[in-house]
Amino acid sequence: MITGKNYIGNKLSALGSVSHKTFNPKLNIENEVEFYEATTEEVDQAVKLAHQAFKEYRNISGAKRAEFLNAIADEILALDDQLIQSYTSETGLPEGRAIGERGRTIGQLRSFAKLISTDEWRENNIDTADLERSPVPKPDIRKTNIPLGPVVVFAASNFPLAYSTAGGDTASALASGSPVIVKSHSMHSGTGELVASAIIKAAEKTGMPNGVFSNITGSGRVVGTALVKHPKVKAVGFTGSISGGRALFDLAANREEPIPVFAEMGSINPVIITPGAIAQRADEITTAYANSITMGTGQFCTNPGLILTIDNENTSNFIKDLAKKSTAIAPQCMLHPNIKRDFVKNRENVSSQSGVEVIASLTQEIEPNYAPTQVSAVSGTDFLINPEMHQEVFGPFSLVVRCKDEAQLIEIINSLEGQLTGTILAEKTEYQDLEDVTDALQNRVGRVILNGVPTGVEVCPSMTHGGPYPASSDSRFSAVGTNAIRRWVRPFSYQDWPNELLPDALKNENPLGILRLINGKYTDSKI
Ligand code: NAP
């Protein structure tokens, strides 16, 4: 049952009087439950409990924490239809998407559980002593990675499960040994509360300390600001707008003790389509990209918002075909009236810039919160001089740029802000000519894709979901895949520590049987 209350550790709490309701964008009505926003006192209680829980949780074995993560996955599945109904009623997204995203969330939890079942992920290094070294003997130094402490996670509006309450940020932080306080997203507070109840049940069943997880409701920035400013919070995970992520980053940097903010923000994901690819398979490409532009109503951080072509006799038909196919796909509901409002405003802003031509825009009468898809085009010269066109339009929209030649294409790539992805569509015969384009892209993006679409982010250890600012606030880390755990730990070294007092991962006899870097060589042998 959804109560509208906060979880402060294991207890439901509603001390405040400010409340909000979520919105069903499909029916264009408010949902019934009222959600009580956390008071300053409740925020403080949640963080203090997390701080207290950290003392115990950080020392709980990887195998026990893995049990906890697997139990969360089981409890989420046990929510069954109740969760799916809440998800669809708060987002306008279809049931199939809800079920798919739940599967992804469960998969992420289980992959982190598997990762931490041994301590190999801590990247343990051992440099043994050399007492004979001259002029000074070399000490024995052993390094591992340890958790940072309480992490605040901001749930994302566009992934109510996979990037929210028990999403990638929460799963990776809990896996690392850090307690988590989630700032629930006000657009799907009910879904957030249900998932929070599953986490709390799992924590109780597996004997985790009270405070290892809290779920805080709030809208209007007050609660998020209080959480980031709290002195006992040690790191922040965020997915959302550039303005939101940047505000939280600045807030964290200005604390007396600055803390890291791992924010995944805006991206227009440039797609480069070569003349050869257009000449050989325009039909296949326009079909795939019409689907990619409109997938999830364009509300994906990897949406292909910018398509770069080199102008020739085939370009006009290619653009017209892409626009026709994109607008022929039935319009879908957006997450919330405010997201639709921002989509229309930002789309109008880009499309009204000098030189931009709207190629096709859905004009038929549609339901209030449904998104009218649009494809526009502009010359490379106009695009280069106007940064307004470089901004993210969150929704089913793409701007096609007609570059005059490869030199201008590269100049455009170099002029872009940091991006999550860059895609190249090219024929095999053109591969040897792609070096300069690839080089320029590598400098701007976190992941390059060849002959595919940027939407659809595989969850695996080799995935990089991040990129130079503003795609993310720290391009050294990924928000997706098991490497995301590295955001919540810090290196820690033991010097000349007695073997029996070292953690198992660093002991001479290697009781965990894991791979370690010993005197510069990866090995699972004993010392
Ligand atoms: P958002 O406005 O950035 O909000 C995300 C979360 O951060 C919310 O919980 C919000 O709290 C909090 N927040 C934002 N600014 C804050 C501030 N200055 N201080 C404290 N907390 C703050 O994102 P959104 O609500 O998900 O969507 C708004 C727009 O962001 C979309 O229209 C889209 O343009 C963009 N967006 C982009 C992506 C992407 O992947 N690229 C994903 C989602 C959204 P409150 O609820 O209290 O406001």
Side-chain angles (χ1 to χ4, degrees):
M1 194 189 93
I2 301 171
T3 67
K5 296 181 181 176
N6 304 283
Y7 270 103
I8 309 297
N10 296 354
K11 278 217 177 80
L12 282 166
S13 174
L15 300 180
S17 52
V18 182
S19 66
H20 71 266
K21 289 182 171 179
T22 58
F23 196 84
N24 185 325
K26 254 195 169 147
L27 303 180
N28 203 28
I29 51 165
E30 274 188 329
N31 291 309
E32 272 175 21
V33 182
E34 225 162 312
F35 293 90
Y36 287 88
E37 307 198 357
T39 60
T40 316
E41 192 187 335
E42 285 172 311
V43 167
D44 188 53
Q45 281 173 9
V47 180
K48 282 189 175 146
L49 269 179
H51 173 74
Q52 202 54 34
F54 182 50
K55 291 177 190 161
E56 186 183 336
Y57 188 59
R58 57 189 289 206
N59 291 320
I60 286 177
S61 72
K64 265 308 260 180
R65 289 204 311 282
E67 213 179 282
F68 174 36
L69 294 184
N70 279 323
I72 297 174
D74 296 340
E75 293 296 336
I76 289 175
L77 280 175
L79 289 167
D80 210 7
D81 265 5
Q82 198 191 355
L83 180 65
I84 304 302
Q85 269 173 26
S86 171
Y87 178 110
T88 51
S89 74
E90 291 186 324
T91 62
L93 294 169
E95 194 177 304
R97 159 77 190 267
I99 292 168
E101 202 184 318
R102 181 182 60 184
R104 182 181 167 139
T105 310
I106 302 295
Q108 287 175 167
L109 285 158
R110 298 210 194 282
S111 69
F112 281 108
K114 189 164 169 230
L115 177 80
I116 59 171
S117 55
T118 77
D119 271 342
E120 199 164 278
W121 68 272
R122 290 185 195 271
E123 297 171 356
N124 305 288
N125 297 356
I126 299 177
D127 291 291
T128 52
D130 179 359
L131 301 179
E132 306 303 317
R133 192 180 72 174
S134 153
V136 280
K138 179 170 171 271
D140 179 288
I141 305 196
R142 303 184 183 209
K143 186 220 82 182
T144 188
N145 273 294
I146 60 169
L148 290 178
V151 171
V152 168
V153 170
F154 284 80
S157 60
N158 59 338
F159 276 93
L161 296 174
Y163 286 89
S164 285
T165 322
D169 286 353
T170 300
S172 54
L174 288 177
S176 77
S178 299
V180 170
I181 303 131
V182 166
K183 154 67 176 75
S184 190
H185 200 288
S186 46
M187 292 180 194
H188 48 73
S189 314
T191 306
E193 190 194 317
L194 285 175
V195 175
S197 73
I199 300 177
I200 296 296
K201 265 193 196 152
E204 287 174 340
K205 278 188 180 169
T206 55
M208 295 298 137
N210 185 19
V212 70
F213 178 81
S214 288
N215 183 57
I216 304 266
T217 298
S219 74
R221 317 286 130 116
V222 180
V223 165
T225 303
L227 280 167
V228 174
K229 279 176 131 175
H230 198 292
K232 292 197 185 322
V233 166
K234 296 300 173 204
V236 177
F238 171 92
T239 304
S241 65
I242 296 177
S243 59
R246 182 61 200 238
L248 297 173
F249 183 88
D250 290 344
L251 210 57
N254 285 317
R255 289 168 34 131
E256 194 173 323
E257 179 199 346
I259 53 168
V261 173
F262 298 100
E264 194 247 282
M265 302 172 282
S267 193
I268 52 174
N269 304 297
V271 178
I272 291 108
I273 312 185
T274 64
I278 291 182
Q280 290 304 314
R281 49 196 166 100
D283 189 41
E284 178 195 320
I285 294 171
T286 48
T287 302
Y289 270 78
N291 284 321
S292 183
I293 291 166
T294 54
M295 185 186 279
T297 329
Q299 301 164 122
F300 286 138
C301 44
T302 51
N303 191 54
L306 181 70
I307 296 177
L308 304 173
T309 61
I310 293 178
D311 213 10
N312 67 16
E313 69 282 3
N314 296 325
T315 318
S316 291
N317 278 344
F318 175 81
I319 300 173
K320 270 192 212 140
D321 198 33
L322 175 69
K324 195 171 148 204
K325 284 180 180 164
S326 302
T327 49
I329 291 173
Q332 301 294 318
C333 190
M334 296 201 90
L335 292 162
H336 193 272
N338 292 349
I339 299 263
K340 159 94 185 265
R341 181 202 59 206
D342 289 352
F343 166 62
V344 172
K345 190 178 91 197
N346 295 333
R347 191 196 68 175
E348 292 314 304
N349 179 44
V350 170
S351 295
S352 64
Q353 299 300 315
S354 171
V356 177
E357 186 191 353
V358 175
I359 305 298
S361 187
L362 202 87
T363 47
Q364 78 198 54
E365 194 67 25
I366 53 174
E367 299 291 321
N369 301 311
Y370 280 55
T373 302
Q374 190 182 99
V375 173
S376 293
V378 70
S379 75
T381 308
D382 284 329
F383 183 84
L384 260 176
I385 56 167
N386 189 346
E388 286 292 317
M389 296 181 207
H390 302 205
Q391 304 312 310
E392 180 184 47
V393 177
F394 193 66
F397 172 82
S398 200
L399 179 66
V400 187
V401 180
R402 308 167 74 131
C403 306
K404 61 176 193 255
D405 51 26
E406 189 185 308
Q408 188 175 59
L409 171 74
I410 289 171
E411 203 183 343
I412 287 177
I413 296 171
N414 290 336
S415 76
L416 296 175
E417 294 183 304
Q419 306 289 331
L420 292 168
T421 71
T423 304
I424 300 174
L425 300 176
E427 293 304 286
K428 273 200 176 124
T429 49
E430 297 170 310
Y431 286 0
Q432 72 276 7
D433 304 325
L434 294 175
E435 202 179 318
D436 292 345
V437 172
T438 312
D439 197 51
L441 269 184
Q442 194 175 47
N443 203 31
R444 296 284 75 209
V445 313
R447 171 167 61 112
V448 282
I449 299 140
L450 185 64
N451 287 326
V453 291
T455 40
V457 182
E458 186 67 31
V459 183
C460 62
S462 348
M463 175 53 69
T464 301
H465 191 67
Y469 183 86
S472 72
S473 55
D474 194 334
S475 61
R476 294 169 300 168
F477 298 91
S478 173
V480 172
T482 43
N483 273 324
I485 198 170
R486 295 180 57 236
R487 297 173 298 167
W488 318 118
V489 293
R490 65 185 173 91
F492 181 86
S493 298
Y494 294 87
Q495 183 164 335
D496 289 333
W497 219 243
N499 187 52
E500 64 276 17
L501 295 186
L502 284 167
D504 284 352
L506 296 177
K507 284 195 167 111
N508 287 341
E509 57 274 29
N510 194 12
L512 303 174
I514 56 178
L515 204 60
R516 308 180 295 180
L517 187 68
I518 302 181
N519 296 326
K521 255 188 146 174
Y522 283 104
T523 169
D524 59 3
S525 15
K526 300 171 183 180
I527 295 170

